[in-house]
Amino acid sequence: MRRIQICVLSFLLFSSAFLGAQQDRLQLFSSQLDSIADGSLKQTLQNSIVAGLIENQHDFDLAVSQAEAAANRNNPVHYSAYGRRDTGAVVDEIRKLTEPLSGLDRDAVKVAKNPKYKTGEDYLFADIKASLPGSYEKGVELCNLFNPKNGTNDAARLDKDIDAFLDAIKDDPVIKYALSSTSTSMQDLKKNWFGSGRGFEHVVAGEIDGKKVSGYHWWYKFYFDERAGKAQVRKASADIGNPHAFTGSFNWDPDGDGPLPNALKPTGGFSIGNSAQVILALGHIAIEVARKNGGVPGALRFRADINGEEYNWQLYTMNGNIRSLYPMGSSRTQSIDEEYYECEKEFMSSDSSEETLH
């Protein structure tokens, strides 16, 4: 009998300690949970915290971002875990604030597509005869310092290189406008693009996930890699007669004859002729406008013009930072979901380091 009593007492003590630990975990996230307006999601988050699946702020933010992205798969501007927001006002403000960007992009260049590019018979772009602004070389140099494998976070290792690049573009008109129009600083822009979402690495430099290209949405990076024999267009699927954009499939081999695979982008694309700075400015304005109007959603779609033509742009975020940003191709034969370039799959499957920039 005494043994039974001891066992029961031990079980009760263990259960009490376990329940206490559960409450302690929930208490750590009380303010974050209070901000979640969706009751079902809040309960799911509570269960995950109790089970030990969410252990820190990074885990919490990632879970919320993934839930928002999944809920917004068919209508990316309507759902926020933090409650109802006037999404129409958000996208209208983004559109209004980004109107000057195209005219302010002093480093924009004129470049033409080759006539036979659409079937992969020639380079996508004709040779650029004019001298390019120095920002293009600096942008590519920074891109090439990143590990192209998806899931790596090189921000800490490349912090000095990132700062040098940002210092070189800080006086660019589009950057100055992006900061002044949102009342933010270069440090805010750095966090938005080089934080745990790894937006610059994904959008501007490009990544590979196995044998597939992930991100890679700066036209000049393709031009540069194409001339180096590392990128080749396969087929155009939309924007065929549009000089301002490319939509289609292509290959990218980041290290040429090295051990990395010659990866495929089944459907992807980019705006043409614009500087990398204007992409950074666009993403910064969009995420800061959303932040000011109720918080950063996991996904947001808006219209903007950065190179003389207005597109629908798709933004994905992670931990309140930019993960992906790209223009959606125009086509009469593809549905909107097909034009998403499988980016939602990329977003949902991407792992993220706990390293962040402050």
Side-chain angles (χ1 to χ4, degrees), residues 44 60 88 100 109 114 137 143 165 178 181 189 224 252 287 308 342:
T44 299
F60 188 91
V109 299
N114 271 314
E137 182 179 356
C143 287
F165 172 72
S181 64
L189 185 143
F224 182 88
W252 176 44
I287 199 170
E342 297 184 342

Side-chain angles (χ1 to χ4, degrees), residues 15-322:
S15 299
S16 177
F18 178 72
L19 291 173
Q22 288 180 319
Q23 292 304 315
D24 288 343
R25 286 176 184 167
L26 288 175
Q27 188 63 34
L28 288 173
F29 293 92
S30 60
S31 61
Q32 293 95 321
L33 288 168
D34 287 343
S35 67
I36 301 297
D38 187 312
S40 177
L41 176 59
K42 180 184 289 188
Q43 185 61 58
T44 299
L45 292 169
Q46 288 175 335
N47 294 341
S48 297
I49 292 168
V50 169
L53 300 176
I54 294 177
E55 297 183 338
N56 50 47
Q57 187 65 46
H58 163 77
D59 294 341
F60 188 91
D61 291 340
L62 180 59
V64 171
S65 293
Q66 289 177 333
E68 288 183 323
N72 287 322
R73 182 165 291 123
N74 294 319
N75 201 348
V77 299
H78 287 309
Y79 174 78
S80 169
Y82 299 98
R84 298 179 64 85
R85 71 177 78 199
D86 186 355
T87 53
V90 171
V91 297
D92 285 347
E93 185 174 352
I94 292 172
R95 190 177 190 179
K96 181 179 179 180
L97 284 181
T98 57
E99 281 181 357
L101 289 180
S102 179
L104 290 172
D105 190 9
R106 68 181 181 190
D107 284 358
V109 299
K110 291 183 178 181
V111 58
K113 295 177 181 176
N114 271 314
K116 295 183 179 180
Y117 84 91
K118 55 183 177 291
T119 55
E121 298 175 50
D122 205 339
Y123 283 157
L124 170 56
F125 295 113
D127 290 334
I128 299 174
K129 303 297 184 181
S131 298
L132 290 170
S135 63
Y136 284 79
E137 182 179 356
K138 289 181 172 64
V140 168
E141 285 178 352
L142 180 59
C143 287
N144 289 337
L145 294 176
F146 285 91
N147 184 339
K149 289 185 178 180
N150 187 30
T152 60
N153 190 337
D154 301 305
R157 176 175 64 85
L158 299 178
D159 191 53
K160 291 183 179 179
D161 301 283
I162 292 168
D163 283 343
F165 172 72
L166 293 177
D167 186 64
I169 66 170
K170 66 182 180 182
D171 292 326
D172 189 290
V174 293
I175 297 297
K176 293 177 72 173
Y177 173 76
L179 300 182
S180 64
S181 64
T182 55
S183 300
T184 54
S185 66
M186 282 297 287
Q187 192 64 23
D188 296 317
L189 185 143
K190 179 181 180 181
K191 186 175 181 181
N192 283 336
W193 275 103
F194 296 92
S196 57
R198 308 189 310 277
F200 183 92
E201 180 177 358
H202 180 84
V203 176
V204 183
E207 299 175 301
I208 56 171
D209 187 1
K211 294 184 178 181
K212 291 184 65 176
V213 178
S214 178
Y216 201 104
H217 299 298
W218 184 30
W219 75 271
Y220 183 71
K221 181 63 164 51
F222 188 92
Y223 179 96
F224 182 88
D225 288 337
E226 191 176 47
R227 293 311 188 271
K230 297 180 180 180
Q232 182 178 10
V233 64
R234 291 172 63 93
K235 186 178 180 181
S237 56
D239 290 307
I240 293 174
N242 185 354
H244 299 289
F246 165 76
T247 302
S249 59
F250 58 87
N251 287 101
W252 176 44
D253 190 350
D255 61 348
D257 295 330
L260 295 176
N262 185 17
L264 171 68
K265 185 79 169 181
T267 310
F270 31 75
S271 54
I272 293 174
N274 54 272
S275 68
Q277 299 92 283
V278 79
I279 298 176
L280 302 186
L282 176 67
H284 182 74
I285 291 173
I287 199 170
E288 289 299 329
V289 168
R291 198 187 312 277
K292 184 182 72 174
N293 288 277
V296 178
L300 181 67
R301 193 193 312 165
F302 58 89
R303 292 190 66 79
D305 170 13
I306 64 168
N307 69 341
E309 184 162 333
E310 188 174 74
Y311 305 98
N312 282 317
W313 286 82
Q314 184 65 47
L315 170 71
Y316 287 98
T317 69
M318 183 177 288
N319 300 340
N321 307 143
I322 295 168

